[in-house]
Amino acid sequence: MIGGNDKISNSQIVFILITTIVGVGILSLPSALVERVGSDGWISIIIGSILVSILVAIATILTSYYPGKTVIEFGREIVSTPVSDIISFLFIVYFVVISAFTVRIFAEVVKMFLLDKTPTEVIIMTMLFTVAYIVRGGIEGIGRMAEIILPVVILPLLLLFIAIIPDLDFTNLLPVFRTSFTDIVKTIPLTFFSFMGYELILFFMAYVDKPKNSTAKNIAAIVIVTLIYLIFFTVTLARFGQNEVRDLLWPSLSLVRSVDLPGFFIENVEAVVMGLWVLNVFASLSPVYYGAVLTLTKLLRANEHKYFVLPLLPFIYILSLVPDNLASVYTMMDMFIYYYTTIILIGVPILYFIISLFKKANKKGVGSNG
Amino acid sequence: MGLFKRFFKKDKKKKKEDKGKKGIKISSNYNKNINQIKNILKDCEDVIYREFTVGSEQNYNFAIIYIDGLIDKKLISDYVLESLMHQARELEPNPKIFKNKLYELCKKGNIAATEIKEAQTIDEAIDYILAGETILILENYPKILVISSRGWPVRGLQEPQTETVIRGPRDGFVETGKYNTTLIRRRIRDPKLKLKYMKLGVRSKTDVAIMYIEDIANKEMVEEVKRRLKDIKIDSVIESGYIEQYIQDNYYSPFPQVETTERPDAVAASLYEGRIAIVTDNTPFVLLVPATLTTFLQSSEDYYERWIITSLIRLLRYVAALIALLLPSLYIAITSYHPGMLPTELALYVAATRDGVPFPAFIEAFIMEATIELLREAGMRLSGPIGTTIGIVGGLVIGQAAVEAGIVSPLMIIIVAVTTISSFAIPNYSFATSFRIVRFAIMLSSAILGLYGIMLGLLLLGSHLVNLKSFGVPYLTPFVSTGITWMDLKDAFVTYPIPKANKRPKFTNVVDETRTDEENTIKAERGDEDDRGQ
């Protein structure tokens, strides 16, 4: 058989990164930022993205030291098998929990805007099975899907933003630089974790066919995400003003819902936007789910990932139903993010990078001596 | 861990090596040979044995064997029997030379047929007889001469019924493989156009020709096609559809992964794009691989008409495909779940037309769609006037009557009609059919989950399509990025003026990428250094 070699292109990684990062985070980011730092939120987005770019660079360089290997495999070389396997297990937990939160928030949104009588469980279940189907197909399919979904989501959104321009009041963006620096620093974890999903580099770079300028390309993905966030933040703020944004649960959704297309056939674009939202969440969820499946497969040293797709599904499903309501979803998610993901997302790449640098230096030393 | 490995490892079937050619050897005993053939072809009364003697003293026994109706009798009688029986008798040959060189004489000097082969075994000879050749058995020689004499009635060249064009050549393939390859060869006078024959089917021994242009088509792909064809284990190949189902990548998919066509110009154009044609004997349908979504949405006429016109038509086809796929589902979702989506007046109108309809939207849509499918199927099998009658009865009477009886809403009739027309605007028949199948699935999911259901249906469809491949080429090329250029992506939606479109599509991993002349020679000199992974 030609093909079927589980190879993706570096540009597909970029697409995967963008669709994964811009998942459910974009929904609440503007209101969370406005609540804390008012109109200075864009500063913390930029600072957060710079920090993430550094980590992305570290992660990409780290993977380039071990071509064709995922973090699960090269972790075993860097920090002995048991330690690495424990970290891999932590990754699985992380992916599963993030998938659960994502799908729960997704289900709540769909319930609120599209299907108010359908049980949350049904929405979660159907979405998870749909995602499981593409995850079964492997990384190639996910990469291609991201490539198709991103333009399909972005182009109509751009059109909507053009239609929204007359309603914008850019004086809402003022005043700038009014918040103290410490307040801005305090919001950096928040923006930083809006970039969750970049850690997939550690897993997926192994499948890139002939990587070239990967670091630059991956950072470009972060830059694009930052632009999307900035656009959403400023437009939301300009449209609604600080006070209103603060009270909105999902200002980004309210924003696109408020669009009134003049002379357009469809009365309200809500349904169209919800359609795009389903696509977006699908593209955001499938790489994370695949990350969990891939890690489990590599951890057990199995050859075929397909058998691990469905066994993980009940875990995600049950976890997604643990919070009683939307408020507790967000509280639990924040707790999880602050305490758990800090270790995983920041600690692991940096630790691995430093140790592998030392090992490299040692090797070189030994090599020149001998 | 060993258990896991065993559990997850795919069983790789060992390839069975082809056994060496076996068969009964030809003996130098003339009667033994004849008897063996007669024995094998026992009870085949269409086999003709013509035995005769040659030489001035009539002391050499000869025999020709053929199947009645499969050969050109005039050729055999005028140029083979005539020369052997009469002319050979008139000469007064040197007996020594004659005896020793009889075979050579026959082979080289006496038979005025254009093609002569040798059979090494009796079985081979019988294969030739069954294929329509005439064999000649000589006394005392352990070899059999095969005289090419195929000739049987064929249908004349006609315009293909399924792929009519406004502008373009009107000839279509026929049922004889040789004629079909000729039709292709006539359009490509290039020594690089290669043709390899294969016999498929243990019993049918159907001739299958693989055609490709050597310095354009990707070598790996040609090898892959040959390999897959060789792996076919079947006793008969009646139509190229048998082969298609064996060589396609995923036979669970509703989508065709091999393109079929009856048009020689379409095959020639595809060969120039680096694709590979599989010509099967006994059918006018030629297979083209690899096939992608865009190839099914293009018609050969696209490149004959002016580019602005066809660009528009091509865009129209995408719209048609979307309508054929989604329109009934959108109707179901909007009427049952999201009536607020429509402008108020329209929503009221829709509600008014549905007033009195006793079924939920899904049942209503399903009834009408199923009726249309029935009509289509019935009309297709019945040709000519009866088919038209069915169309009128079905379309007018049932449609009108159903509305007046209040079973379905008039809007539903419009939607079904538009959907059906759209599905016929897709040029490739089997591809359009797969869209119809998927349409029913999406209708079901939209009946359960509304718009969200439609999105899930589309996502499942998309997930299937992104993983689908045709001979290693992703089905969704050029919408996905493996080895494509911007040009490919533009060509998917619009056609270019021919002088501007000087690059071949990249999806087949062509060796020679440009269509213009100067660069061709440069590339040819450089050889095939560019061998991309997939």
Side-chain angles (χ1 to χ4, degrees):
Chain A
M1 278 282 283
I2 34 177
N5 48 5
D6 272 352
K7 285 283 175 207
I8 54 176
S9 68
N10 211 134
S11 63
Q12 281 173 334
I13 286 273
V14 171
F15 279 100
I16 291 178
L17 282 178
I18 297 171
T19 54
T20 311
I21 295 173
V22 187
V24 292
I26 195 166
L27 286 185
S28 50
L29 182 69
S31 64
L33 278 180
V34 168
E35 203 181 345
R36 293 185 177 83
V37 288
S39 49
D40 283 337
W42 57 273
I43 303 172
S44 81
I45 292 179
I46 289 173
I47 296 175
S49 80
I50 291 169
L51 291 178
V52 172
S53 299
I54 295 168
L55 277 168
V56 163
I58 289 177
T60 315
I61 294 166
L62 181 61
T63 54
S64 72
Y65 290 162
Y66 303 91
K69 283 180 179 170
T70 62
V71 66
I72 310 120
E73 287 145 328
F74 67 68
R76 286 177 182 144
E77 290 178 26
I78 295 174
V79 288
S80 71
T81 309
V83 181
S84 159
D85 283 0
I86 291 169
I87 291 175
S88 300
F89 182 74
L90 293 181
F91 266 119
I92 296 175
V93 174
Y94 161 78
F95 285 133
V96 167
V97 173
I98 289 297
S99 303
F101 281 136
T102 310
V103 78
R104 176 65 188 267
I105 293 172
F106 163 77
E108 296 291 341
V109 173
V110 168
K111 206 169 150 64
M112 186 168 291
F113 293 102
L114 271 182
L115 304 163
D116 46 353
K117 286 176 197 139
T118 312
T120 320
E121 289 86 347
V122 173
I123 298 172
I124 291 176
M125 216 41 173
T126 47
M127 187 66 183
L128 282 181
F129 273 113
T130 312
V131 173
Y133 180 64
I134 195 168
V135 170
R136 240 181 95 82
I139 182 79
E140 272 185 287
I142 292 172
R144 293 189 195 131
M145 202 65 179
E147 237 175 344
I148 293 168
I149 286 181
L150 190 65
V152 169
V153 174
I154 291 282
L155 291 178
L157 276 185
L158 282 180
L159 282 179
L160 288 182
F161 279 155
I162 291 170
I164 221 171
I165 285 175
D167 298 333
L168 297 185
D169 177 8
F170 283 99
T171 52
N172 282 336
L173 296 179
L174 301 172
V176 265
F177 302 119
R178 286 284 295 276
T179 357
S180 68
F181 189 66
T182 46
D183 280 347
I184 289 180
V185 169
K186 273 179 197 162
T187 60
I188 284 173
L190 182 86
T191 46
F192 180 82
F193 288 114
S194 305
F195 287 91
M196 260 183 340
Y198 77 85
E199 72 283 351
L200 289 174
I201 290 172
L202 294 171
F203 297 84
F204 292 168
M205 280 306 285
Y207 298 99
V208 173
D209 194 25
K210 297 170 196 151
K212 212 176 170 187
N213 300 334
S214 321
T215 318
K217 282 176 186 164
N218 291 344
I219 289 176
I222 300 299
V223 171
I224 293 170
V225 173
T226 312
L227 282 178
I228 295 173
Y229 282 171
L230 283 176
I231 290 173
F232 262 92
F233 179 78
T234 47
V235 174
T236 318
L237 203 57
R239 175 73 179 77
F240 296 117
Q242 281 193 39
N243 291 329
E244 204 177 329
V245 170
R246 203 169 289 152
D247 295 336
L248 286 169
L249 180 58
W250 296 313
S252 310
L253 272 181
S254 311
L255 176 74
V256 280
R257 282 180 69 205
S258 71
V259 178
D260 194 13
L261 287 179
F264 198 60
F265 166 73
I266 294 173
E267 182 88 326
N268 54 11
V269 288
E270 194 173 295
V272 177
V273 172
M274 285 321 290
L276 301 180
W277 162 243
V278 176
L279 292 180
N280 183 29
V281 172
F282 179 85
S284 167
L285 198 52
S286 50
V288 179
Y289 196 154
Y290 183 70
V293 172
L294 181 72
T295 318
L296 189 58
T297 316
K298 298 276 181 194
L299 188 61
L300 297 176
R301 291 186 168 87
N303 293 325
E304 194 63 68
H305 77 275
K306 281 179 184 160
Y307 304 96
F308 297 104
V309 179
L310 285 181
L312 276 177
L313 199 144
F315 290 102
I316 301 175
Y317 175 71
I318 294 167
L319 272 175
S320 71
L321 292 173
V322 166
D324 295 329
N325 51 37
L326 201 55
S328 64
V329 174
Y330 274 108
T331 357
M332 288 168 94
M333 191 168 161
D334 283 348
M335 269 166 54
F336 178 76
I337 284 174
Y338 279 95
Y339 297 110
Y340 191 86
T341 33
T342 316
I343 314 167
I344 297 272
L345 294 198
I346 306 173
V348 172
I350 293 178
L351 184 76
Y352 278 15
F353 185 64
I354 292 170
I355 296 177
S356 70
L357 275 186
F358 270 116
K359 285 208 165 171
K360 253 193 150 178
N362 265 349
K363 225 181 198 175
K364 235 178 212 170
V366 172
S368 58
N369 285 343
Chain B
M1 293 306 151
L3 181 108
F4 270 106
K5 273 184 188 165
R6 226 178 304 148
F7 188 66
F8 297 129
K9 237 179 204 167
K10 275 186 177 173
D11 289 298
K12 278 179 189 165
K13 281 177 192 167
K14 281 177 193 168
K15 279 183 197 168
K16 279 181 188 169
E17 302 236 336
D18 283 352
K19 291 162 199 165
K21 272 194 178 173
K22 55 165 189 181
I24 310 158
K25 273 201 176 157
I26 301 168
S27 77
S28 38
N29 186 334
Y30 166 80
N31 281 326
K32 199 178 166 193
N33 285 339
I34 295 263
N35 285 336
Q36 262 166 347
I37 292 177
K38 279 188 173 168
N39 200 24
I40 294 171
L41 294 174
K42 203 163 64 183
D43 289 341
C44 302
E45 290 179 6
D46 53 348
V47 182
I48 309 289
Y49 304 86
R50 171 74 168 89
E51 296 182 50
F52 55 96
T53 50
V54 170
S56 52
E57 287 147 41
Q58 300 289 308
N59 46 2
Y60 294 103
N61 285 314
F62 275 35
I64 58 168
I65 305 172
Y66 60 88
I67 290 183
D68 202 9
L70 279 185
I71 66 152
D72 184 352
K73 277 195 180 169
K74 194 167 160 44
L75 181 129
I76 295 295
S77 66
D78 287 5
Y79 301 104
V80 180
L81 292 180
E82 166 97 24
S83 54
L84 283 175
M85 292 163 94
H86 295 141
Q87 293 168 8
R89 206 175 301 166
E90 282 161 14
L91 296 170
E92 198 60 57
N94 182 344
K96 248 190 176 175
I97 295 173
F98 192 74
K99 197 175 180 186
N100 293 333
K101 300 265 177 120
L102 181 61
Y103 180 80
E104 292 298 312
L105 265 174
C106 284
K107 189 179 173 190
K108 301 223 166 107
N110 274 21
I111 296 170
T114 48
E115 188 188 348
I116 285 194
K117 285 171 281 195
E118 269 178 21
Q120 306 296 335
T121 63
I122 296 278
D123 297 78
E124 206 184 332
I126 283 177
D127 280 353
Y128 280 122
I129 296 174
L130 294 173
E133 314 282 30
T134 305
I135 65 162
L136 176 68
I137 303 181
L138 289 76
E139 193 173 359
N140 294 335
Y141 286 90
K143 277 177 185 168
I144 291 177
L145 275 182
V146 178
I147 304 155
S148 176
S149 60
R150 293 184 199 198
W152 52 80
V154 283
R155 187 165 62 97
L157 298 188
Q158 283 169 334
E159 185 170 16
Q161 302 251 318
T162 51
E163 295 163 81
T164 45
V165 290
I166 307 293
R167 176 170 181 177
R170 305 255 180 236
D171 54 346
F173 288 126
V174 289
E175 279 76 7
T176 310
K178 276 257 161 68
Y179 286 28
N180 295 347
T181 53
T182 318
L183 285 174
I184 299 168
R185 175 70 84 178
R186 255 175 52 194
R187 288 170 165 84
I188 308 175
R189 286 186 196 164
D190 186 348
K192 297 287 186 187
L193 172 65
K194 302 297 177 192
L195 193 154
K196 298 256 179 193
Y197 272 115
M198 251 182 194
K199 276 192 173 33
L200 290 185
V202 182
R203 285 180 192 281
S204 73
K205 299 201 180 79
T206 312
D207 284 320
V208 173
I210 308 164
M211 297 182 84
Y212 57 94
I213 300 181
E214 198 179 29
D215 55 354
I216 301 177
N218 184 281
K219 280 197 187 90
E220 270 176 53
M221 203 168 298
V222 175
E223 286 310 311
E224 178 72 14
V225 171
K226 285 183 191 162
R227 196 186 61 71
R228 286 195 197 181
L229 286 175
K230 264 182 202 141
D231 279 357
I232 295 179
K233 299 271 182 284
I234 190 173
D235 73 334
S236 63
V237 176
I238 307 289
E239 213 269 338
S240 52
Y242 284 50
I243 299 174
E244 178 186 348
Q245 292 183 38
Y246 263 99
I247 61 174
Q248 65 190 349
D249 294 55
N250 179 357
Y251 39 75
Y252 296 115
S253 172
F255 290 91
Q257 298 135 54
V258 176
E259 193 185 340
T260 53
T261 181
E262 280 188 84
R263 303 187 56 85
D265 57 323
V267 174
S270 303
L271 289 177
Y272 282 124
E273 288 183 349
R275 296 166 77 196
I276 299 158
I278 301 167
V279 184
T280 315
D281 201 9
N282 298 327
T283 176
F285 288 95
V286 171
L287 306 179
L288 288 171
V289 293
T292 64
L293 190 95
T294 45
T295 60
F296 287 108
L297 285 169
Q298 292 171 0
S299 130
S300 54
E301 199 183 356
D302 285 7
Y303 295 94
Y304 307 150
E305 203 40 90
R306 297 194 63 248
W307 67 278
I308 300 180
I309 301 166
T310 43
S311 297
L312 258 175
I313 291 174
R314 202 170 267 188
L315 289 175
L316 197 65
R317 288 202 198 110
Y318 280 91
V319 177
L322 277 181
I323 289 177
L325 192 64
L326 290 179
L327 193 64
S329 320
L330 279 174
Y331 173 79
I332 296 169
I334 291 174
T335 51
S336 348
Y337 289 91
H338 323 284
M341 240 183 103
L342 299 173
T344 322
E345 285 153 41
L346 187 61
L348 285 176
Y349 168 73
V350 172
T353 57
R354 277 192 50 75
D355 186 34
V357 174
F359 303 115
F362 170 66
I363 304 286
E364 186 192 359
F366 188 83
I367 290 174
M368 287 319 291
E369 286 291 341
T371 315
I372 285 287
E373 291 299 310
L374 281 175
L375 273 176
R376 192 189 51 76
E377 185 61 26
M380 190 167 297
R381 302 282 159 248
L382 301 167
S383 61
I386 312 175
T388 325
T389 318
I390 288 282
I392 292 168
V393 170
L396 288 178
V397 180
I398 297 181
Q400 185 70 20
V403 173
E404 277 178 12
I407 297 175
V408 293
S409 66
L411 191 62
M412 187 68 236
I413 300 281
I414 296 172
I415 281 172
V416 169
V418 172
T419 314
T420 312
I421 293 168
S422 302
S423 80
F424 283 116
I426 299 170
N428 187 292
Y429 176 73
S430 59
F431 189 68
T433 315
S434 46
F435 262 74
R436 283 205 289 271
I437 298 166
V438 177
R439 173 167 77 220
F440 279 98
I442 296 185
M443 272 163 67
L444 189 67
S445 71
S446 85
I448 300 169
L449 289 168
L451 260 185
Y452 172 57
I454 294 181
M455 291 318 288
L456 284 189
L458 283 179
L459 282 173
L460 282 173
L461 179 66
S463 310
H464 173 68
L465 285 177
V466 290
N467 280 314
L468 197 59
K469 281 181 179 179
S470 171
F471 284 82
V473 176
Y475 202 60
L476 287 183
T477 328
F479 304 108
V480 292
S481 76
T482 13
I484 56 131
T485 56
W486 185 224
M487 187 67 208
D488 272 25
L489 192 58
K490 281 188 287 192
D491 189 58
F493 293 109
V494 293
T495 12
Y496 257 57
I498 300 285
K500 290 257 178 199
N502 60 349
K503 286 262 194 296
R504 293 180 209 283
K506 281 252 186 112
F507 70 92
T508 46
N509 291 337
V510 285
V511 179
D512 175 10
E513 287 175 358
T514 49
R515 291 182 196 265
T516 40
D517 251 328
E518 325 83 86
E519 288 165 73
N520 268 9
T521 44
I522 299 167
K523 270 271 155 73
E525 278 162 22
R526 228 193 299 163
D528 51 0
E529 26 110 65
D530 190 8
D531 233 9
R532 248 168 280 102
Q534 59 154 308

